[in-house]
Amino acid sequence: MPDNQRSRAITQGAQRSPNRAMLRAVGFSDEDFDKPIVGVANGFSTITPCNKGLNELAINAEQALKKAGAMPQMFGTITVSDGISMGTEGMKYSLVSREVIADSIETAVQGESMDGVIAIGGCDKNMPGAMIAMARMNVPAIFVYGGTIKPGNYKGRDLTIVSVFEAVGQYTSHKIDAKELLEVERHACPGAGSCGGMFTANTMSSAFEAMGMSLPYSSTMAAEDDEKHASAARSAEVLVDAIRKQIRPRDIVTRKSIENAIAVIMAVGGSTNAVLHFLAIAHAAEVELTIDDFERVRGSVPVLCDLKPSGRYVATDLHKAGGVPQVMKMLLEHGLLHGDCVTISGQTIAEVLQDIPATPRKDQDVIRQWENPMYAQGHLAILKGNLSIEGCVAKITGVKTPKITGPARVFESEETCMAAILARQIRPGDVVVIRYEGPKGGPGMREMLSPTSALIGEGLGDSVGLITDGRFSGGTYGMVVGHVAPEAFVGGTIALVHEGDSITIDAEQRLLQLNVSEEELARRRINWEPPQPRYTRGVLAKYAKLVSTASRGAITD
């Protein structure tokens, strides 16, 4: 009998009568007290299209749990829409929401002594927040992704939310008019579901499938398709079986399975945010993982998929082409996946992939043939140097100029940088520095999709570098470097950069260097004073006090 299964103790003796009385009021009958109690962590909200359809999935899961012999208890958890809050103070709450989600799921499941949990989420932080909680609690658990949005379409081209951000830059540089900008805005997001490219939500859902914590094919389904509802019900059935077999998250979330997840992230061209989130997930699971492990995996895994933001296709196209299982089978065939890792179903990865073809279909080019990858090595590189001693993360594929040395254009916030870009004050060859946006300094480590998209929209994506101690959206691409650590707020070298200093970003050498002498940096450090916290009360103030450096995953425990 599971050692966490205190819920079953409600049948043991008269002292449990008050517990039974409360449960009767929420629908339990006499025969239900011997059944496992399963939490349904429901991320439904109308805040964002990513989470708009989750309640139907939660109800499907609830019904399936009952049919499978469990008693569901549904509870809610929050979300922050990254796309809506992007470029505002509200974005500071996005990464914070990962911790709130994790804490809320842990609190509900442990507080009510549940025997398992099925978490249903959509927007970016729903996935890592749920997985952190699952790894901490280690009760049987499964994640259900709410599904991806279908692409918008305008004038024969597929659109995503990133298309709108880039259109802003195109408008300010007079490449399109106001009518065109409005039409892109109107057509970009046609319905429910998470952002459609291989941005952060689809990256994390794909990685969870690769890790074995979600069902095969579930990570790339469209939110509005019937198969997504069927998958939610099937996930509930699999979870009840896992409870009976006592297959727990830490049986699944291991060093090997995280390496599998990282390999798939590289192969599909996933988001830089995956580095931050998997460091945090590994910490929660007590698995040893460092930022350098991403660089090690990157060197051996090719980019196999032609997906947005830098490619042509969206997640629904990947689904039609064979989905994550097809990508995984190719990696397994070439010795780049651990086939012996167990999944939530009890099968190993090799068993799950047994009937998947070794090569992708020839009638599609979303998933490239092994001998003809998009890039020979992974796209998420870990750069180091005197500007980022602890390391930072860069997308290095899809850029025409992998090395740039140029003058620093220094900004103390995203807003001041964005104003300079829109005023066309940034020139080819510049290296833009946005600082005091890190985990503590922001606080909250905002994503910089607005400035990066504006640069691309103005045609500067290949000629301007951008570095920050903040983050980037999964929709970002170009010569951009994020998660610079140590951050400016704690006195990292990025705090010592002066306007006009020479900075080198060298993707090939994995180098981020401030070309200033050590003697001069020592003089600047003596004169540097820590800034006052931007927030002194509330959740952001608490977060700033607790949060770690980005190189450890911006963890709070």
Side-chain angles (χ1 to χ4, degrees):
M1 183 172 290
D3 58 17
N4 191 63
Q5 221 168 1
R6 286 182 289 150
S7 59
R8 291 193 181 183
I10 57 179
T11 62
Q12 297 175 357
Q15 74 273 19
R16 288 300 182 182
S17 289
N19 306 73
R20 294 199 301 266
M22 294 289 286
L23 289 169
R24 289 181 193 279
V26 295
F28 278 62
S29 56
D30 288 344
E31 61 269 20
D32 294 327
F33 291 118
D34 285 328
K35 298 175 182 177
I37 295 176
V38 180
V40 181
N42 183 359
F44 165 72
S45 78
T46 56
I47 288 173
T48 173
C50 312
N51 292 43
K52 179 184 175 184
L54 299 190
N55 203 46
E56 294 178 20
L57 301 184
I59 291 170
N60 280 8
E62 184 180 50
Q63 293 170 345
L65 287 168
K66 289 179 179 179
K67 288 180 181 179
M71 284 302 291
Q73 288 188 315
M74 191 183 298
F75 60 93
T77 185
I78 69 157
T79 198
V80 170
S81 173
D82 291 4
I84 295 172
S85 63
M86 197 75 68
T88 73
E89 283 285 295
M91 189 64 198
K92 293 180 178 180
Y93 290 85
S94 170
L95 188 58
V96 176
S97 75
R98 184 188 77 180
E99 309 308 303
V100 176
I101 292 164
D103 292 349
S104 67
I105 293 174
E106 178 188 353
T107 300
V109 172
Q110 299 291 64
E112 299 303 315
S113 305
M114 297 175 188
D115 301 312
V117 62
I118 179 169
I120 304 172
C123 201
D124 293 6
K125 307 310 173 296
N126 296 183
M127 273 78 74
M131 195 60 61
I132 288 168
M134 291 172 179
R136 283 183 195 161
M137 300 181 300
N138 203 32
V139 300
I142 193 169
F143 185 81
V144 174
Y145 181 41
T148 184
I149 196 171
K150 294 181 179 179
N153 190 275
Y154 179 62
K155 290 186 175 179
R157 61 188 178 101
D158 284 346
L159 300 177
T160 68
I161 185 60
V162 175
S163 306
V164 186
F165 283 94
E166 292 177 2
V168 171
Q170 293 167 343
Y171 172 72
T172 59
S173 59
H174 308 296
K175 294 180 179 178
I176 63 173
D177 58 20
K179 182 178 183 299
E180 181 88 356
L181 174 60
L182 181 60
E183 291 302 322
V184 172
E185 174 199 315
R186 284 172 169 168
H187 290 86
C189 298
S194 298
C195 298
M198 191 49 67
F199 309 149
T200 302
N202 285 324
T203 296
M204 296 306 295
S205 68
S206 298
F208 286 4
E209 181 180 328
M211 197 164 56
M213 287 294 292
S214 295
L215 295 188
Y217 297 103
S218 65
S219 66
T220 51
M221 293 174 179
E224 297 178 319
D225 284 355
D226 290 342
E227 64 177 347
K228 173 47 66 179
H229 296 82
S231 178
R234 177 59 185 153
S235 296
E237 296 167 358
V238 170
L239 175 60
V240 174
D241 192 49
I243 292 171
R244 294 186 176 121
K245 295 177 180 176
Q246 278 302 285
I247 301 172
R248 307 186 189 207
R250 293 195 189 185
D251 300 324
I252 301 168
V253 183
T254 64
R255 168 82 179 201
K256 283 184 175 181
S257 74
I258 291 176
E259 288 180 347
N260 285 351
I262 296 171
V264 168
I265 290 164
M266 297 295 176
V268 300
S271 167
T272 55
N273 284 308
V275 177
L276 196 75
H277 296 326
F278 268 97
L279 288 169
I281 291 165
H283 172 78
E286 298 186 274
V287 170
E288 184 179 344
L289 189 75
T290 71
I291 196 169
D292 296 321
D293 290 315
F294 290 84
E295 180 62 31
R296 177 177 53 79
V297 175
R298 183 197 71 80
S300 60
V301 177
V303 179
L304 296 170
C305 299
D306 187 4
L307 297 168
K308 292 179 182 292
S310 59
R312 293 179 292 166
Y313 297 107
V314 294
T316 51
D317 296 317
L318 174 60
H319 190 63
K320 295 171 187 173
V324 169
Q326 180 64 78
V327 176
M328 291 178 69
K329 184 58 174 279
M330 296 168 71
L331 295 173
L332 182 66
E333 286 288 302
H334 291 85
L336 296 173
L337 219 59
H338 302 290
D340 58 341
C341 290
V342 70
T343 70
I344 186 63
S345 69
Q347 293 178 293
T348 65
I349 290 291
E351 289 169 341
V352 169
L353 300 176
Q354 183 175 355
D355 296 329
I356 306 296
T359 59
R361 301 194 322 267
K362 297 290 180 66
D363 63 348
Q364 58 79 42
D365 58 355
V366 182
I367 306 172
R368 303 282 282 267
Q369 301 298 318
W370 184 266
E371 61 276 9
N372 184 35
M374 294 292 293
Y375 306 100
Q377 293 181 312
H379 63 302
L380 299 182
I382 305 303
L383 276 56
K384 292 188 176 182
N386 69 351
L387 247 178
S388 189
I389 297 168
E390 295 177 10
C392 53
V393 186
K395 278 187 179 178
I396 65 172
T397 50
V399 294
K400 294 179 181 177
T401 309
K403 178 179 178 179
I404 182 172
T405 296
R409 302 297 310 280
V410 182
F411 302 94
E412 310 300 324
S413 70
E414 179 185 2
E415 286 86 354
T416 54
C417 175
M418 188 65 180
I421 294 171
L422 295 180
R424 309 194 71 182
Q425 295 173 359
I426 305 301
R427 302 284 180 262
D430 286 346
V431 178
V432 173
V433 179
I434 307 176
R435 63 190 180 191
Y436 296 102
E437 291 284 7
K440 288 182 177 293
M445 209 178 176
R446 283 193 290 184
E447 292 180 350
M448 305 292 162
L449 181 59
S450 295
T452 57
S453 296
L455 287 171
I456 288 170
E458 291 190 10
L460 297 172
D462 292 314
S463 59
V464 169
L466 191 153
I467 70 171
T468 180
D469 51 8
R471 296 182 296 129
F472 292 116
S473 163
T476 293
Y477 62 103
M479 181 57 85
V480 296
V481 182
H483 309 193
V484 171
E487 63 176 291
F489 189 82
V490 300
T493 306
I494 191 173
L496 309 180
V497 179
H498 286 183
E499 183 82 8
D501 282 349
S502 173
I503 292 177
T504 295
I505 306 171
D506 190 334
E508 294 173 341
Q509 298 298 317
R510 261 75 77 202
L511 177 68
L512 183 64
Q513 188 77 16
L514 176 61
N515 300 313
V516 173
S517 70
E518 288 300 315
E519 293 77 12
E520 173 60 20
L521 287 178
R523 283 192 290 271
R524 293 182 186 181
R525 192 172 298 280
I526 291 171
N527 294 323
W528 179 80
E529 293 184 3
Q532 291 297 310
R534 287 172 168 162
Y535 294 83
T536 57
R537 298 184 66 185
V539 65
L540 290 181
K542 288 189 284 188
Y543 181 83
K545 290 177 181 178
L546 292 172
V547 70
S548 77
T549 178
S551 65
R552 294 184 60 214
I555 56 175
T556 57
D557 67 336

